[in-house]
Amino acid sequence: MVLIDTSVWLWALRKNYNEEIKKNVENLLQNDTIAIMGIIKLELLGGTKTTLEFSDLKGYLDSLYFIHTDTDFWNQASELAFTLRKKGVIDLRFLLIPDLWYLSLVHRQAE
């Protein structure tokens, strides 16, 4: 499974799309290897402009493999953010919450 960041989705979905990114995303879609998570759906669907655009994109995203998270995951993500900030590894003024989510997911998979 491949988790695609919101910024990559935006480049693939634009009217003036990046051809290489769009081709790679389409290949992953054809191979049914894309996963999605709630925070990415929120970012993408929250940026839609019309009810039709929202509905079409939601249907499309709903067909992807969904990564579920639980309370333990969010607790672990919070602890990781705290630890990294305390060590000076990250600055929460410049690191967005979705980025912390990705980092936590990778950290969890590595355990």
Side-chain angles (χ1 to χ4, degrees), residues 41-83:
K41 285 178 74 172
L42 172 63
E43 289 178 319
L44 292 172
L45 293 172
T48 57
K49 295 180 178 109
T50 67
T51 303
L52 179 60
E53 188 177 88
F54 178 92
S55 178
D56 287 349
L57 184 57
K58 183 178 181 309
Y60 183 69
L61 298 176
D62 284 347
S63 70
L64 303 175
Y65 177 81
F66 189 82
I67 298 174
H68 295 274
T69 55
D70 55 19
T71 302
D72 289 337
F73 173 80
W74 287 105
N75 288 335
Q76 183 181 28
S78 299
E79 289 173 21
L80 181 62
F82 171 75
T83 301

Side-chain angles (χ1 to χ4, degrees), residues 89-103:
V89 175
I90 62 171
D91 185 336
L92 292 178
R93 293 175 296 168
F94 304 107
L95 187 68
L96 302 174
I97 296 300
D99 296 327
L100 277 171
W101 198 100
Y102 304 139
L103 182 61

Side-chain angles (χ1 to χ4, degrees), residues 7-63:
S7 60
V8 175
W9 277 112
L10 293 175
W11 278 108
L13 295 171
R14 287 181 158 178
K15 289 180 182 175
N16 298 328
Y17 58 85
N18 178 298
E19 193 168 321
E20 184 177 349
I21 291 173
K22 187 169 184 79
K23 179 181 170 189
N24 287 329
V25 169
E26 286 175 350
N27 286 338
L28 291 168
L29 286 168
Q30 287 175 356
N31 293 320
D32 198 28
T33 55
I34 294 180
I36 192 140
M37 57 189 201
I39 203 159
I40 293 174
K41 285 178 74 172
L42 172 63
E43 289 178 319
L44 292 172
L45 293 172
T48 57
K49 295 180 178 109
T50 67
T51 303
L52 179 60
E53 188 177 88
F54 178 92
S55 178
D56 287 349
L57 184 57
K58 183 178 181 309
Y60 183 69
L61 298 176
D62 284 347
S63 70

